[in-house]
Amino acid sequence: MKHLILAYLDPGTGSLILQIIIASIVGAFFVLKNLWKRIIFFFKGFFHIH
Amino acid sequence: MVAQKLAGSFRDPCGFLFLRNDILYRQVNNLYKDNYDYLIKSGLYKALVDTNLLIPHDEVDIDYAISNKVYKIIKPEKIPFISYPYEWSFSQLKDAALTTLQIQKIALSFGMSLKDSSAYNIQFLKGKPVFIDTLSFEKYKEGEPWVAYKQFCQHFLAPLALMSLKDIRLNQLIKNFIDGIPLDLASKLLPTKTRFSFSILTHIHLHAKTQKHYSNKQISKTKQKISKNSFLGIIDSLESAIKKLSWQPFGTEWANYYEDTNYTINALNNKKKLVSDFLDEISPKNIWDLGANDGLFSKIASEKEIQTISFDIDPAAVEKNYLNCIKNNDIYILPLLLDLSNPTPGIGWENKERMSLQERGPVDAVLALALIHHLAISNNLPLNKIAKFFNNTCNSLIIEFVPKHDSQVQRLLSTREDIFPNYTKKEF
């Protein structure tokens, strides 16, 4: 109940649904992007050291 | 003196702003106790304040409270001049959007999330955007979608996309829609090619369609879950979308003004010296430079460490001014968009939620250089009305009279009849 009181902003039903729809795509992209960044970081460090 | 609640601070039941003896305070209500304590104890408040992303505050005596729901009273650092998104240039709105997303990412790393993402929660302090609503943070609950996603798209993404991809003047729509530009309207106005951009397609076009489709439908909100990676993915996607949007401030009427005047270098230097001497004489605390163009004369005030609001009607001039301020790390100038013939009105509930220009005055001094001919001739304003305006707006005025024989005035008169017999130095 307390949480409902705090959420004074109407998030909009359509806006919540859209987030659910795009969640898996943007989530997967975000994970891959971070993975790619880590790979680049690793190789940059690797070549820098060696 | 009696405490007075601020007219624009009524939506959030967690607290409100009020003035007592002209000092601004924020009451934190008991309803927000858990979140306030978490904000402070988690280290999020310190992390944001240390990076100048959140306005710092002091906790003060609870006796200052003006309602019995009080948990704490805080006194935030003062913002010298409150400005609004419809007065910002493209890059100011873009920086405000990116600051909001940066704060959201930092908040998530501390287990909190922004419960609103209103553009009015950002102000410019010492040249940089800063978040001013200390009560906007709530504990993040894994699985819940971002409650402020719609508001972020309406307040930031839609206007920036319209300014960048359609017409820079469309930021004025924000003045008509106090909770941001409706996404169905943005979707209609944006060019067809934007449907081939994944971020604009999803966050604006599909968003608008989903809103319409579900406008009369009820869903079980408890069943709608997204993982934290997906939540972060949405923030990351919005950030990429905003970063990709750009606008080049070239080719408008005023963008190259100083390359097209009849001032010689010597005359311009003399004018600068004259302005500088006048400023030394009156030593104002703050200045409004009206018709500032890209801020050439505002810089003179800024060099004297005078808080200067640098107004101009041209989005290109304001943009150039802002980018220069960033480049030069100028902390005294705030460039803003203003049509002096139709100044910013009070908007929102009872026309009091967001202040008019006049309500934010008077100012110590006004600079009105190469301005009067635009008011008197382009806008048919009688000189006595102009004098009355300045009298209500400032304590001191540095004003330049541009005579009729000046080429800039001749240009204004070239396509119309001269119906201004009183526009003379004597009448001035």
Side-chain angles (χ1 to χ4, degrees), chain B residues 358-378:
Chain B
Q358 291 267 311
E359 280 174 271
R360 286 173 280 170
V363 66
D364 238 11
V366 158
L367 278 183
L369 307 172
L371 174 75
I372 195 160
H373 54 307
H374 294 293
L375 299 175
I377 293 175
S378 303

Side-chain angles (χ1 to χ4, degrees), chain A residues 2-3 5-31 33-34 37, chain B residues 11-14 31 35 115-116 138 141 144-147 149-151 202 207 210-211 214 219 224 226 229-230 232-234 236 240:
Chain A
K2 187 179 260 190
H3 187 70
I5 294 166
L6 286 178
Y8 71 102
L9 190 74
D10 176 11
T13 308
S15 302
L16 291 177
I17 295 290
L18 182 75
Q19 288 185 72
I20 311 295
I21 295 169
I22 64 170
S24 50
I25 305 167
V26 294
F29 186 74
F30 177 71
V31 171
K33 194 174 156 184
N34 278 345
K37 271 186 193 165
Chain B
R11 293 182 198 279
D12 190 352
C14 295
L31 185 61
N35 281 308
K115 65 178 183 181
D116 57 36
E138 63 179 4
K141 289 190 177 149
E144 284 190 4
W146 190 22
V147 73
Y149 170 65
K150 178 180 89 167
Q151 197 179 36
T202 48
H207 198 166
T210 324
Q211 281 180 339
Y214 284 94
I219 55 158
Q224 313 303 329
I226 64 170
N229 269 337
S230 295
L232 287 165
I234 288 170
D236 188 65
S240 301

Side-chain angles (χ1 to χ4, degrees), chain B residues 68-180:
Chain B
N68 56 6
K69 294 174 184 171
V70 63
Y71 172 57
K72 297 261 188 199
I73 300 292
I74 59 176
K75 183 180 154 209
E77 185 182 323
K78 196 179 177 195
I79 304 282
F81 186 86
I82 298 290
S83 63
Y84 299 120
Y86 37 83
E87 297 171 328
W88 299 342
S89 72
F90 179 82
S91 290
Q92 285 174 305
L93 186 60
K94 184 173 173 175
D95 285 352
L98 292 173
T99 299
T100 305
L101 291 175
Q102 192 186 352
I103 289 168
Q104 172 68 337
K105 285 198 289 186
I106 296 170
L108 282 165
S109 69
F110 281 84
M112 296 197 95
S113 174
L114 287 175
K115 65 178 183 181
D116 57 36
S117 55
S118 162
Y120 299 96
N121 282 345
I122 297 282
Q123 285 299 325
F124 284 86
L125 182 66
K126 294 173 189 161
K128 296 209 170 85
V130 63
F131 198 82
I132 56 161
D133 189 358
T134 314
L135 312 190
S136 276
F137 301 88
E138 63 179 4
K139 284 185 205 166
Y140 169 66
K141 289 190 177 149
E142 178 103 32
E144 284 190 4
W146 190 22
V147 73
Y149 170 65
K150 178 180 89 167
Q151 197 179 36
F152 184 88
C153 293
Q154 292 181 168
H155 279 236
F156 292 112
L157 185 59
L160 283 168
L162 287 168
M163 289 163 86
S164 163
L165 303 164
K166 188 73 180 176
D167 194 302
I168 193 69
R169 292 166 294 184
L170 286 170
N171 72 327
Q172 291 305 303
L173 279 177
I174 310 171
K175 216 187 281 176
N176 278 22
F177 299 99
I178 199 158
D179 198 23

